[in-house]
Amino acid sequence: MDRATFEKLAVEHLDAVHRMALQLAKQPDVAADLVQETYLKALRASATFEERGKGIRAWLFTILHNTFYSDLRKGQRRPTAVGEFFEASDTESAPEDAPPAWDLASLDWEHVDDRLKQAIDDLSPEHREVLLLWGVEGLKYREVGEILGVPLGTVMSRLHRARKILAESLEEFAAELGWS
Amino acid sequence: MSMGTGNRDDDRLDMAQLSDAALIRAAADDEPGARAELQRRGISDSDAQIVFESSLRDAVGRAMSGSTAPAALRAQVIAMMHRERDEHPHAESMSFVEAKARHEAHAKPRDAHHKWMGSGLRRGVAIAAVVALGAGATWMGVQNSQSINGNTLITENASFLNTLSFIRQEHDSRATFDDQYRATFTVKIEEALDLAEHELGSMPTCLEKAIRGCTDSGLVFAGLSSCSMPDDSGAVHVMYWSVPDESTVSMFIISDLEGATETECPTKALEVGTSYVCSESQESGSPLQVWRRGDFTFYLASGHTEPVPVVRKLHEAPIREEMLGSL
């Protein structure tokens, strides 16, 4: 892939990369720096891109993730709810409770979106990141695992916890409004 | 733990290892093999759970996918890519000579369209085309005859109208950072200044100050390219990003054709010391202005009014303004 094609493809994913950067960093100026750093690294390593066998979007997310957490560990970027990240263990397991079965379609989505955004904001960074790669970017568990460099079980575990928190939040919301 | 393999090198999930709950979620996520495993286990009452999980995923996608990267950030990333090309010896570098060559290669189809102004035979075609352009000229606010210095009807001059139309189109296209922007603009300041001097024959004093000093005024220098004008004048297109309002402003600087008459170079009839503002463009929030200084004509185009005063000041636009549509 020549440089110009690579640049064009990379820029096509700028919205997605920025969206994720914003969710990680939570501050627009920090997110902007993070995006630029991600693209600079991607560009400088573009010659090796094809050898890695990933799509360019997944590759950009990988660089973004590594850059964010690398800097985070150095104490350069610290989002509000970062404490849990350091305490998280790779041996985390998923609760075995079954998924809810109530009808989400009964909700008024105009109101639900705000509630959902708030619930997502309240998630820890690593749960939020998995959730967004899955829910917004539509990635498979395996792809999410590759981007984050964690086992499939960890992806599923984090995803389950994030979904559970969101489902509970929506259920509470529905109950408050007498919708369920 | 009854889910997943825990091995990051595994390529796929082993569905047989998952709990029923994890399997239902995997089925909702269309993970390969999940639904087959559900069937194999005889789990037939999970439809509502699958629908719930799928709906939740859709809801997350809908709630969180709307935002786009700020235009200024997009400009900075693209500019950074250009700088990388220029500054890294092993990357493709784009010197101004190369930029010019690329530009010419890209500009051929456009030139074929615009350079009909050069021949007398085609001039009649040009005027006919400008008549057809009438509706387009209306939005520029230049449809009324404008008398400059009491003799030249500049807004009836086909060349002038064509230039305005060209400038508006060029700005609108490049402001989207299209392929031609990527191929022809350089953001490296020294190269940009060299290119400007090469194209214009000499350097307008304000241009170097503007490019070097724009960041002090809240602007980002977004690049400079040579520009093939309809009448073959030497010209450059300079773009700035206004950081506060995330908008683009273009300056087109055109040097006079040597020995050209006012008919051939109609902006020579414009009064030095006055900025001419296309009234309807101004009113519609997409400013288009023109002024003269020395041997150069300056055109300013933008889709936003906010950054215009700053760019005008940087390029030493005359303070006195006249509306082109209402003189």
Side-chain angles (χ1 to χ4, degrees):
Chain A
M1 185 184 294
D2 62 45
R3 179 84 171 247
T5 305
F6 178 84
E7 288 177 12
K8 186 167 185 273
L9 291 174
V11 169
E12 283 175 5
H13 297 296
L14 184 62
D15 288 341
V17 173
H18 175 257
R19 193 160 49 228
M20 183 61 70
L22 204 51
Q23 287 300 322
L24 287 170
K26 304 308 272 180
Q27 298 170 41
D29 55 339
V30 177
D33 287 349
L34 190 53
V35 169
Q36 291 200 59
E37 201 172 339
T38 297
Y39 272 82
L40 186 61
K41 287 178 178 175
L43 202 60
R44 289 183 174 168
S46 60
T48 65
F49 164 65
E50 280 178 311
E51 297 163 15
R52 299 172 191 228
K54 288 183 187 177
I56 194 163
R57 184 178 59 153
W59 192 49
L60 289 167
F61 280 137
T62 303
I63 297 171
L64 175 74
H65 169 86
N66 291 339
T67 302
F68 175 74
Y69 283 108
S70 169
D71 288 349
L72 189 67
R73 289 187 187 100
K74 293 176 201 163
Q76 291 175 357
R77 294 193 182 98
R78 185 172 288 269
T80 317
V82 74
E84 198 177 336
F85 169 71
F86 293 105
E87 293 161 13
S89 154
D90 268 352
T91 58
E92 54 196 312
S93 60
E96 297 303 325
D97 44 336
W102 56 283
D103 184 9
L104 272 176
S106 64
L107 296 179
D108 176 346
W109 288 105
E110 277 188 31
H111 294 94
V112 168
D113 279 357
D114 288 341
R115 183 69 167 241
L116 207 53
K117 282 179 187 170
Q118 187 56 55
I120 292 169
D121 274 351
D122 290 342
L123 293 172
S124 66
E126 73 274 20
H127 286 92
R128 190 165 55 237
E129 192 175 22
V130 170
L131 187 83
L132 294 176
L133 289 170
W134 162 82
V136 179
E137 307 306 332
L139 301 182
K140 296 288 184 192
Y141 300 161
R142 180 182 57 78
E143 295 171 306
V144 175
E146 284 177 357
I147 288 170
L148 305 183
V150 298
L152 282 172
T154 303
V155 172
M156 295 181 71
S157 171
R158 289 180 185 175
L159 189 54
H160 171 67
R161 288 179 186 281
R163 289 162 114 163
K164 189 166 184 289
I165 290 167
L166 297 191
E168 286 170 357
S169 176
L170 291 181
E171 199 164 3
E172 279 171 24
F173 187 49
E176 285 168 21
L177 299 175
W179 289 342
S180 62
Chain B
M1 178 174 168
S2 59
M3 59 176 292
T5 61
N7 182 348
R8 74 178 54 183
D9 293 324
D10 280 354
D11 245 353
R12 59 184 176 80
L13 277 172
D14 182 354
M15 294 297 162
Q17 297 288 317
L18 298 183
S19 67
D20 288 354
L23 185 61
I24 289 169
R25 287 189 288 270
D29 293 338
D30 285 330
E31 287 291 326
R35 285 179 189 266
E37 178 65 15
L38 272 182
Q39 280 187 340
R40 195 189 65 75
R41 292 187 197 179
I43 301 173
S44 57
D45 57 351
S46 58
D47 286 355
Q49 291 165 310
I50 288 175
V51 168
F52 178 90
E53 293 291 346
S54 295
S55 301
L56 187 60
R57 186 177 194 171
D58 291 344
V60 170
R62 187 180 50 251
M64 303 303 289
S65 63
S67 69
T68 56
L73 175 61
R74 188 174 297 274
Q76 286 163 351
V77 166
I78 292 171
M80 177 267 292
M81 287 176 159
H82 278 262
R83 273 196 302 275
E84 277 295 298
R85 278 188 193 174
D86 292 339
E87 291 170 4
H88 281 75
H90 298 300
E92 290 178 26
S93 101
M94 191 167 70
S95 66
F96 90 82
V97 175
E98 188 184 359
K100 187 168 182 295
R102 286 190 191 195
H103 171 82
E104 286 169 355
H106 280 73
K108 275 174 186 167
R110 191 191 63 205
D111 287 349
H113 176 70
H114 285 288
K115 285 183 175 172
W116 40 251
M117 294 302 292
S119 99
L121 179 64
R122 292 174 183 164
R123 196 172 300 271
V125 179
I127 293 168
V130 169
V131 171
L133 192 72
T138 300
W139 64 262
M140 294 176 190
V142 294
Q143 74 279 28
N144 299 328
S145 298
Q146 301 294 335
S147 174
I148 307 294
N149 290 339
N151 48 27
T152 305
L153 299 177
I154 193 164
T155 58
E156 286 188 350
N157 184 288
S159 175
F160 182 67
L161 287 175
N162 191 50
T163 299
L164 287 179
S165 176
F166 170 77
I167 280 171
R168 171 54 68 194
Q169 288 171 20
E170 283 288 298
H171 167 77
D172 290 348
S173 299
R174 301 308 152 253
T176 64
F177 300 112
D178 60 357
D179 286 345
Q180 192 163 327
Y181 166 83
R182 295 163 49 78
T184 61
F185 276 69
T186 178
V187 293
K188 199 169 179 182
I189 289 176
E190 298 307 323
E191 285 186 2
L193 295 174
D194 284 349
L195 179 57
E197 189 163 12
H198 173 83
E199 290 296 318
L200 299 174
S202 61
M203 177 68 74
T205 51
C206 63
L207 181 59
E208 182 171 356
K209 285 186 201 166
I211 290 175
R212 291 192 190 282
C214 63
T215 50
D216 296 337
S217 303
L219 297 173
V220 173
F221 170 57
L224 181 147
S225 167
S226 58
C227 187
S228 297
M229 296 305 294
D231 63 359
D232 290 333
S233 306
V236 294
H237 179 180
V238 193
M239 292 219 301
Y240 298 96
W241 269 93
S242 172
V243 176
D245 43 58
E246 298 180 354
S247 59
T248 317
V249 183
S250 285
M251 284 299 308
F252 293 80
I253 304 174
I254 303 169
S255 59
D256 291 346
L257 278 176
E258 208 170 318
T261 64
E262 283 191 7
T263 305
E264 291 163 329
C265 184
T267 56
K268 278 190 168 180
L270 297 175
E271 277 183 25
V272 173
T274 300
S275 299
Y276 294 90
V277 178
C278 297
S279 58
E280 285 192 22
S281 293
Q282 189 74 10
E283 287 160 12
S284 67
S286 298
L288 187 57
Q289 304 184 0
V290 55
W291 65 86
R292 279 189 61 79
R293 183 177 291 277
D295 294 329
F296 303 103
T297 304
F298 294 76
Y299 292 86
L300 179 154
S302 182
H304 296 78
T305 55
E306 293 84 354
V308 167
V310 176
V311 177
R312 278 177 49 82
K313 188 175 178 186
L314 280 170
H315 292 84
E316 300 171 357
I319 293 169
R320 180 172 179 269
E321 293 185 3
E322 295 273 1
M323 301 302 281
L324 262 180
S326 58
L327 275 175

